[in-house]
Amino acid sequence: MEVHLIDGTYELFRHFYALPSARDSEDREVAAVRGVLGSILSMMQADETYIGVATDHVIESFRNRMWPGYKTGQGVDPELLSQFPLLEETLRALGVVVWAMEEYEADDALASAAFLA
């Protein structure tokens, strides 16, 4: 059995800064979502059946209370942040398991899923 666990936050950031801008009919930036979907769709075409994607709904987590210098969402481009809901909605429509993390981070969901797998 192969299980593919993907950090959707990392992938959105990576594609956001790697790809040229692309806008949909409502003038929303969608290039990063397109990039992530391209990767996921190629995995699905290769008959990978177990795919899970975790995203950070908020950049801050309980770790910010523990470590004052821990990462924050300060300075993150709003056009990047606005693509999270679109990515999650589209992945769910494709039948991909999505863990949208609010109190914990995507890494926490991925570690838990890896342990269970």
PDB file of all heavy atoms in Angstrom, residues 32-57:
ATOM      1  N   ALA A  32      -1.314  29.185  -8.156  1.00  0.00           N
ATOM      2  CA  ALA A  32      -0.806  28.205  -7.190  1.00  0.00           C
ATOM      3  C   ALA A  32      -1.736  27.002  -7.096  1.00  0.00           C
ATOM      4  O   ALA A  32      -1.287  25.859  -7.034  1.00  0.00           O
ATOM      5  CB  ALA A  32      -0.612  28.858  -5.828  1.00  0.00           C
ATOM      6  N   VAL A  33      -3.039  27.259  -7.099  1.00  0.00           N
ATOM      7  CA  VAL A  33      -4.006  26.154  -7.051  1.00  0.00           C
ATOM      8  C   VAL A  33      -3.836  25.275  -8.285  1.00  0.00           C
ATOM      9  O   VAL A  33      -3.810  24.047  -8.189  1.00  0.00           O
ATOM     10  CB  VAL A  33      -5.452  26.687  -6.950  1.00  0.00           C
ATOM     11  CG1 VAL A  33      -6.464  25.564  -7.131  1.00  0.00           C
ATOM     12  CG2 VAL A  33      -5.665  27.359  -5.605  1.00  0.00           C
ATOM     13  N   ARG A  34      -3.707  25.880  -9.435  1.00  0.00           N
ATOM     14  CA  ARG A  34      -3.492  25.104 -10.668  1.00  0.00           C
ATOM     15  C   ARG A  34      -2.242  24.239 -10.565  1.00  0.00           C
ATOM     16  O   ARG A  34      -2.236  23.087 -10.989  1.00  0.00           O
ATOM     17  CB  ARG A  34      -3.352  26.030 -11.866  1.00  0.00           C
ATOM     18  CG  ARG A  34      -4.635  26.612 -12.351  1.00  0.00           C
ATOM     19  CD  ARG A  34      -4.365  27.422 -13.595  1.00  0.00           C
ATOM     20  NE  ARG A  34      -5.570  28.016 -14.120  1.00  0.00           N
ATOM     21  CZ  ARG A  34      -5.588  28.797 -15.180  1.00  0.00           C
ATOM     22  NH1 ARG A  34      -4.468  29.086 -15.819  1.00  0.00           N
ATOM     23  NH2 ARG A  34      -6.729  29.305 -15.599  1.00  0.00           N
ATOM     24  N   GLY A  35      -1.178  24.799 -10.002  1.00  0.00           N
ATOM     25  CA  GLY A  35       0.063  24.040  -9.863  1.00  0.00           C
ATOM     26  C   GLY A  35      -0.097  22.833  -8.962  1.00  0.00           C
ATOM     27  O   GLY A  35       0.329  21.730  -9.300  1.00  0.00           O
ATOM     28  N   VAL A  36      -0.725  23.035  -7.806  1.00  0.00           N
ATOM     29  CA  VAL A  36      -0.933  21.924  -6.868  1.00  0.00           C
ATOM     30  C   VAL A  36      -1.843  20.876  -7.498  1.00  0.00           C
ATOM     31  O   VAL A  36      -1.573  19.670  -7.433  1.00  0.00           O
ATOM     32  CB  VAL A  36      -1.513  22.416  -5.527  1.00  0.00           C
ATOM     33  CG1 VAL A  36      -1.811  21.240  -4.605  1.00  0.00           C
ATOM     34  CG2 VAL A  36      -0.559  23.391  -4.855  1.00  0.00           C
ATOM     35  N   LEU A  37      -2.917  21.322  -8.146  1.00  0.00           N
ATOM     36  CA  LEU A  37      -3.835  20.370  -8.775  1.00  0.00           C
ATOM     37  C   LEU A  37      -3.145  19.558  -9.859  1.00  0.00           C
ATOM     38  O   LEU A  37      -3.413  18.362 -10.007  1.00  0.00           O
ATOM     39  CB  LEU A  37      -5.048  21.097  -9.354  1.00  0.00           C
ATOM     40  CG  LEU A  37      -6.012  21.659  -8.321  1.00  0.00           C
ATOM     41  CD1 LEU A  37      -7.140  22.418  -9.011  1.00  0.00           C
ATOM     42  CD2 LEU A  37      -6.559  20.568  -7.431  1.00  0.00           C
ATOM     43  N   GLY A  38      -2.264  20.188 -10.617  1.00  0.00           N
ATOM     44  CA  GLY A  38      -1.517  19.452 -11.637  1.00  0.00           C
ATOM     45  C   GLY A  38      -0.728  18.305 -11.030  1.00  0.00           C
ATOM     46  O   GLY A  38      -0.717  17.185 -11.557  1.00  0.00           O
ATOM     47  N   SER A  39      -0.087  18.570  -9.893  1.00  0.00           N
ATOM     48  CA  SER A  39       0.681  17.516  -9.209  1.00  0.00           C
ATOM     49  C   SER A  39      -0.229  16.399  -8.711  1.00  0.00           C
ATOM     50  O   SER A  39       0.058  15.216  -8.890  1.00  0.00           O
ATOM     51  CB  SER A  39       1.446  18.107  -8.022  1.00  0.00           C
ATOM     52  OG  SER A  39       2.370  19.061  -8.453  1.00  0.00           O
ATOM     53  N   ILE A  40      -1.335  16.778  -8.088  1.00  0.00           N
ATOM     54  CA  ILE A  40      -2.265  15.785  -7.541  1.00  0.00           C
ATOM     55  C   ILE A  40      -2.898  14.966  -8.661  1.00  0.00           C
ATOM     56  O   ILE A  40      -3.013  13.734  -8.563  1.00  0.00           O
ATOM     57  CB  ILE A  40      -3.358  16.459  -6.689  1.00  0.00           C
ATOM     58  CG1 ILE A  40      -2.748  17.214  -5.513  1.00  0.00           C
ATOM     59  CG2 ILE A  40      -4.406  15.453  -6.235  1.00  0.00           C
ATOM     60  CD1 ILE A  40      -2.126  16.368  -4.452  1.00  0.00           C
ATOM     61  N   LEU A  41      -3.300  15.625  -9.733  1.00  0.00           N
ATOM     62  CA  LEU A  41      -3.923  14.909 -10.848  1.00  0.00           C
ATOM     63  C   LEU A  41      -2.955  13.917 -11.484  1.00  0.00           C
ATOM     64  O   LEU A  41      -3.350  12.816 -11.863  1.00  0.00           O
ATOM     65  CB  LEU A  41      -4.455  15.892 -11.900  1.00  0.00           C
ATOM     66  CG  LEU A  41      -5.712  16.647 -11.478  1.00  0.00           C
ATOM     67  CD1 LEU A  41      -6.036  17.749 -12.491  1.00  0.00           C
ATOM     68  CD2 LEU A  41      -6.897  15.706 -11.313  1.00  0.00           C
ATOM     69  N   SER A  42      -1.673  14.267 -11.572  1.00  0.00           N
ATOM     70  CA  SER A  42      -0.736  13.293 -12.129  1.00  0.00           C
ATOM     71  C   SER A  42      -0.562  12.102 -11.205  1.00  0.00           C
ATOM     72  O   SER A  42      -0.398  10.978 -11.664  1.00  0.00           O
ATOM     73  CB  SER A  42       0.605  13.901 -12.505  1.00  0.00           C
ATOM     74  OG  SER A  42       1.066  14.807 -11.626  1.00  0.00           O
ATOM     75  N   MET A  43      -0.665  12.327  -9.899  1.00  0.00           N
ATOM     76  CA  MET A  43      -0.615  11.201  -8.968  1.00  0.00           C
ATOM     77  C   MET A  43      -1.852  10.322  -9.150  1.00  0.00           C
ATOM     78  O   MET A  43      -1.756   9.090  -9.139  1.00  0.00           O
ATOM     79  CB  MET A  43      -0.556  11.705  -7.526  1.00  0.00           C
ATOM     80  CG  MET A  43       0.737  12.414  -7.184  1.00  0.00           C
ATOM     81  SD  MET A  43       0.686  13.103  -5.528  1.00  0.00           S
ATOM     82  CE  MET A  43       1.073  11.633  -4.592  1.00  0.00           C
ATOM     83  N   MET A  44      -2.999  10.950  -9.341  1.00  0.00           N
ATOM     84  CA  MET A  44      -4.233  10.192  -9.515  1.00  0.00           C
ATOM     85  C   MET A  44      -4.214   9.408 -10.834  1.00  0.00           C
ATOM     86  O   MET A  44      -4.681   8.266 -10.887  1.00  0.00           O
ATOM     87  CB  MET A  44      -5.439  11.122  -9.460  1.00  0.00           C
ATOM     88  CG  MET A  44      -5.637  11.749  -8.080  1.00  0.00           C
ATOM     89  SD  MET A  44      -6.915  13.000  -8.034  1.00  0.00           S
ATOM     90  CE  MET A  44      -8.359  11.962  -7.795  1.00  0.00           C
ATOM     91  N   GLN A  45      -3.651   9.989 -11.873  1.00  0.00           N
ATOM     92  CA  GLN A  45      -3.556   9.292 -13.155  1.00  0.00           C
ATOM     93  C   GLN A  45      -2.606   8.099 -13.076  1.00  0.00           C
ATOM     94  O   GLN A  45      -2.737   7.146 -13.827  1.00  0.00           O
ATOM     95  CB  GLN A  45      -3.114  10.251 -14.260  1.00  0.00           C
ATOM     96  CG  GLN A  45      -4.197  11.235 -14.637  1.00  0.00           C
ATOM     97  CD  GLN A  45      -3.710  12.314 -15.585  1.00  0.00           C
ATOM     98  OE1 GLN A  45      -2.515  12.515 -15.776  1.00  0.00           O
ATOM     99  NE2 GLN A  45      -4.660  13.024 -16.179  1.00  0.00           N
ATOM    100  N   ALA A  46      -1.668   8.155 -12.150  1.00  0.00           N
ATOM    101  CA  ALA A  46      -0.746   7.047 -11.942  1.00  0.00           C
ATOM    102  C   ALA A  46      -1.358   5.990 -11.028  1.00  0.00           C
ATOM    103  O   ALA A  46      -0.671   5.094 -10.558  1.00  0.00           O
ATOM    104  CB  ALA A  46       0.566   7.559 -11.361  1.00  0.00           C
ATOM    105  N   ASP A  47      -2.667   6.131 -10.773  1.00  0.00           N
ATOM    106  CA  ASP A  47      -3.419   5.185  -9.948  1.00  0.00           C
ATOM    107  C   ASP A  47      -2.976   5.154  -8.490  1.00  0.00           C
ATOM    108  O   ASP A  47      -3.086   4.125  -7.829  1.00  0.00           O
ATOM    109  CB  ASP A  47      -3.382   3.770 -10.538  1.00  0.00           C
ATOM    110  CG  ASP A  47      -4.182   3.678 -11.820  1.00  0.00           C
ATOM    111  OD1 ASP A  47      -5.178   4.420 -11.956  1.00  0.00           O
ATOM    112  OD2 ASP A  47      -3.808   2.873 -12.694  1.00  0.00           O
ATOM    113  N   GLU A  48      -2.466   6.269  -7.985  1.00  0.00           N
ATOM    114  CA  GLU A  48      -2.176   6.366  -6.561  1.00  0.00           C
ATOM    115  C   GLU A  48      -3.521   6.523  -5.867  1.00  0.00           C
ATOM    116  O   GLU A  48      -4.261   7.452  -6.144  1.00  0.00           O
ATOM    117  CB  GLU A  48      -1.267   7.566  -6.268  1.00  0.00           C
ATOM    118  CG  GLU A  48       0.036   7.574  -7.051  1.00  0.00           C
ATOM    119  CD  GLU A  48       0.932   6.390  -6.755  1.00  0.00           C
ATOM    120  OE1 GLU A  48       0.635   5.598  -5.841  1.00  0.00           O
ATOM    121  OE2 GLU A  48       1.942   6.239  -7.448  1.00  0.00           O
ATOM    122  N   THR A  49      -3.856   5.604  -4.998  1.00  0.00           N
ATOM    123  CA  THR A  49      -5.201   5.605  -4.439  1.00  0.00           C
ATOM    124  C   THR A  49      -5.316   6.269  -3.071  1.00  0.00           C
ATOM    125  O   THR A  49      -6.395   6.652  -2.680  1.00  0.00           O
ATOM    126  CB  THR A  49      -5.740   4.171  -4.337  1.00  0.00           C
ATOM    127  OG1 THR A  49      -4.801   3.388  -3.619  1.00  0.00           O
ATOM    128  CG2 THR A  49      -5.965   3.576  -5.708  1.00  0.00           C
ATOM    129  N   TYR A  50      -4.225   6.390  -2.349  1.00  0.00           N
ATOM    130  CA  TYR A  50      -4.287   6.966  -1.012  1.00  0.00           C
ATOM    131  C   TYR A  50      -3.524   8.285  -0.997  1.00  0.00           C
ATOM    132  O   TYR A  50      -2.298   8.307  -0.935  1.00  0.00           O
ATOM    133  CB  TYR A  50      -3.725   5.997   0.029  1.00  0.00           C
ATOM    134  CG  TYR A  50      -4.490   4.700   0.067  1.00  0.00           C
ATOM    135  CD1 TYR A  50      -4.001   3.557  -0.546  1.00  0.00           C
ATOM    136  CD2 TYR A  50      -5.726   4.634   0.700  1.00  0.00           C
ATOM    137  CE1 TYR A  50      -4.717   2.375  -0.512  1.00  0.00           C
ATOM    138  CE2 TYR A  50      -6.453   3.457   0.737  1.00  0.00           C
ATOM    139  CZ  TYR A  50      -5.937   2.332   0.119  1.00  0.00           C
ATOM    140  OH  TYR A  50      -6.647   1.159   0.145  1.00  0.00           O
ATOM    141  N   ILE A  51      -4.279   9.366  -1.081  1.00  0.00           N
ATOM    142  CA  ILE A  51      -3.690  10.701  -1.100  1.00  0.00           C
ATOM    143  C   ILE A  51      -4.393  11.537  -0.040  1.00  0.00           C
ATOM    144  O   ILE A  51      -5.621  11.598  -0.002  1.00  0.00           O
ATOM    145  CB  ILE A  51      -3.853  11.371  -2.476  1.00  0.00           C
ATOM    146  CG1 ILE A  51      -3.179  10.536  -3.576  1.00  0.00           C
ATOM    147  CG2 ILE A  51      -3.284  12.790  -2.458  1.00  0.00           C
ATOM    148  CD1 ILE A  51      -3.463  11.033  -4.986  1.00  0.00           C
ATOM    149  N   GLY A  52      -3.613  12.172   0.799  1.00  0.00           N
ATOM    150  CA  GLY A  52      -4.154  13.090   1.799  1.00  0.00           C
ATOM    151  C   GLY A  52      -3.382  14.391   1.752  1.00  0.00           C
ATOM    152  O   GLY A  52      -2.159  14.390   1.593  1.00  0.00           O
ATOM    153  N   VAL A  53      -4.096  15.490   1.862  1.00  0.00           N
ATOM    154  CA  VAL A  53      -3.470  16.817   1.820  1.00  0.00           C
ATOM    155  C   VAL A  53      -3.865  17.572   3.084  1.00  0.00           C
ATOM    156  O   VAL A  53      -5.046  17.671   3.408  1.00  0.00           O
ATOM    157  CB  VAL A  53      -3.920  17.611   0.567  1.00  0.00           C
ATOM    158  CG1 VAL A  53      -3.323  19.008   0.575  1.00  0.00           C
ATOM    159  CG2 VAL A  53      -3.548  16.859  -0.713  1.00  0.00           C
ATOM    160  N   ALA A  54      -2.874  18.092   3.774  1.00  0.00           N
ATOM    161  CA  ALA A  54      -3.119  18.911   4.967  1.00  0.00           C
ATOM    162  C   ALA A  54      -2.752  20.358   4.660  1.00  0.00           C
ATOM    163  O   ALA A  54      -1.762  20.622   3.976  1.00  0.00           O
ATOM    164  CB  ALA A  54      -2.304  18.397   6.139  1.00  0.00           C
ATOM    165  N   THR A  55      -3.575  21.277   5.158  1.00  0.00           N
ATOM    166  CA  THR A  55      -3.293  22.700   4.977  1.00  0.00           C
ATOM    167  C   THR A  55      -3.414  23.418   6.321  1.00  0.00           C
ATOM    168  O   THR A  55      -4.091  22.958   7.226  1.00  0.00           O
ATOM    169  CB  THR A  55      -4.280  23.352   3.984  1.00  0.00           C
ATOM    170  OG1 THR A  55      -5.614  23.171   4.463  1.00  0.00           O
ATOM    171  CG2 THR A  55      -4.151  22.772   2.590  1.00  0.00           C
ATOM    172  N   ASP A  56      -2.747  24.553   6.391  1.00  0.00           N
ATOM    173  CA  ASP A  56      -2.831  25.406   7.581  1.00  0.00           C
ATOM    174  C   ASP A  56      -3.862  26.488   7.303  1.00  0.00           C
ATOM    175  O   ASP A  56      -3.644  27.342   6.450  1.00  0.00           O
ATOM    176  CB  ASP A  56      -1.480  26.076   7.855  1.00  0.00           C
ATOM    177  CG  ASP A  56      -0.382  25.071   8.153  1.00  0.00           C
ATOM    178  OD1 ASP A  56      -0.572  24.255   9.067  1.00  0.00           O
ATOM    179  OD2 ASP A  56       0.663  25.108   7.477  1.00  0.00           O
ATOM    180  N   HIS A  57      -4.992  26.445   7.994  1.00  0.00           N
ATOM    181  CA  HIS A  57      -5.995  27.503   7.827  1.00  0.00           C
ATOM    182  C   HIS A  57      -5.504  28.815   8.394  1.00  0.00           C
ATOM    183  O   HIS A  57      -5.830  29.877   7.882  1.00  0.00           O
ATOM    184  CB  HIS A  57      -7.316  27.103   8.485  1.00  0.00           C
ATOM    185  CG  HIS A  57      -8.311  26.616   7.493  1.00  0.00           C
ATOM    186  ND1 HIS A  57      -9.631  26.912   7.586  1.00  0.00           N
ATOM    187  CD2 HIS A  57      -8.162  25.878   6.379  1.00  0.00           C
ATOM    188  CE1 HIS A  57     -10.273  26.360   6.570  1.00  0.00           C
ATOM    189  NE2 HIS A  57      -9.399  25.724   5.837  1.00  0.00           N
TER     190      HIS A  57
END
